Amino acid sequence: MKHYNRVPLTNRTLFRRDQNMCGYCGTVFPATRLTRDHIHPTSKGGKNIWMNVIAACANCNKTKGNLTCEEAHMPLLMLPYIPNRSEWLILQNKHILEDQMSFLLKKVPKNSRLL
Ligand SMILES: [Zn+2]
């Protein structure tokens, strides 16, 4: 089950998971203006995994720099999560047929931001 749910982390899927919203200021941006922020900075041992990344605008990412949320006084507006396989397919695909979409959506967990 765990293995089945392991899905690759890409900026495209990350930004879509977070609905193109910056996790710090809450502003919605086009994907081209978003960055991958490591919630616990990689310079401090934070990993590049779904649970440690959030979409952030360039400004917030720069302001936060190498600080933790506590140090930067920048609390997260939303929590990271690992999309399951069905959700990831939705996040990744540009074109999904309507009947495929309803099938996939049934398998998306309740905590998903897609629902
Ligand atoms: Zn921001």
Side-chain angles (χ1 to χ4, degrees):
M1 192 65 184
K2 224 175 180 180
H3 181 74
Y4 174 79
N5 275 334
R6 203 173 293 158
V7 293
L9 168 62
T10 64
N11 278 353
R12 179 189 176 90
T13 47
L14 170 67
F15 299 162
R16 288 192 177 187
R17 180 198 71 176
D18 295 343
Q19 314 257 289
N20 277 30
M21 191 201 273
C22 171
Y24 298 104
C25 67
T27 311
V28 174
F29 290 95
T32 48
R33 295 187 54 199
L34 286 168
T35 61
R36 181 189 303 193
D37 179 67
H38 295 92
I39 299 162
H40 191 79
T42 48
S43 61
K44 293 184 171 158
K47 292 201 174 102
N48 190 39
I49 53 171
W50 281 107
M51 290 306 286
N52 191 45
V53 292
I54 201 92
C57 69
N59 255 351
C60 287
N61 201 335
K62 199 176 161 193
T63 308
K64 184 167 169 280
N66 288 327
L67 302 173
T68 64
C69 299
E70 291 76 28
E71 289 166 344
H73 303 290
M74 291 171 72
L76 278 174
L77 299 178
M78 55 191 172
L79 293 174
Y81 66 91
I82 309 171
N84 75 6
R85 188 90 204 157
S86 300
E87 185 176 13
W88 186 82
L89 286 172
I90 297 171
L91 294 171
Q92 202 219 21
N93 263 297
K94 272 187 193 161
H95 308 290
I96 296 178
L97 298 175
E98 211 173 308
D99 55 338
Q100 284 177 322
M101 182 61 102
S102 59
F103 174 80
L104 287 172
L105 278 172
K106 276 184 212 145
K107 296 181 161 201
V108 166
K110 296 256 182 298
N111 66 347
S112 168
R113 271 189 273 281
L114 289 180
L115 299 179

